[in-house]
């Protein structure tokens, strides 16, 4: 699934919230949730021009910690 197809999929499924961690102005990960329900958040990684679903969790922070997003995008804390 390319970026355009993924965007269309998200709109069709009702996903509206999207956090865009960036490194060197390149999109690497997005976190989404459905507008109708904030029960789960979903993490996707951009790999070779397509989004790969990594997982879901009850909060964006939980996803970021579970998949070491900060470390993977080079954020030093």
């Amino acid at each position: 699934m390319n970026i355009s197809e993924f965007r269309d999929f998200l709109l069709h499924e009702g996903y509206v919230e999207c956090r865009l961690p960036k490194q060197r102005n390149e999109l690497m990960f997005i976190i989404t949730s459905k507008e109708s329900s904030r029960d789960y958040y979903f993490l996707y990684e951009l790999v070779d021009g397509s989004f790969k679903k990594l997982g879901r969790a009850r909060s964006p922070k939980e996803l970021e910690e579970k998949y070491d997003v900060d470390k993977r995008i080079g954020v030093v804390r």
Side-chain angles (χ1 to χ4, degrees):
M1 180 180 305
N2 66 34
I3 293 171
S4 179
E5 292 169 336
F6 186 71
R7 181 187 154 281
D8 292 343
F9 164 77
L10 291 177
L11 291 174
H12 179 265
E13 293 296 314
Y15 290 87
V16 295
E17 185 170 320
C18 196
R19 296 181 60 207
L20 306 175
K22 294 181 180 183
Q23 178 182 19
R24 297 181 309 273
N25 297 320
E26 296 174 7
L27 173 66
M28 296 177 69
F29 296 92
I30 62 171
I31 294 177
T32 66
S33 65
K34 287 193 174 186
E35 181 177 25
S36 61
S37 172
R38 298 283 193 247
D39 292 338
Y40 286 101
Y41 293 84
F42 304 88
L43 178 65
Y44 295 84
E45 180 178 19
L46 183 61
V47 179
D48 298 327
S50 297
F51 283 98
K52 174 186 171 191
K53 185 175 182 179
L54 296 179
R56 73 177 189 168
R58 295 276 182 185
S59 75
K61 187 69 177 165
E62 184 180 340
L63 278 172
E64 291 173 358
E65 290 171 356
K66 183 176 181 178
Y67 292 96
D68 292 322
V69 171
D70 283 347
K71 186 183 291 184
R72 291 168 78 173
I73 64 174
V75 173
V76 178
R77 291 184 188 244

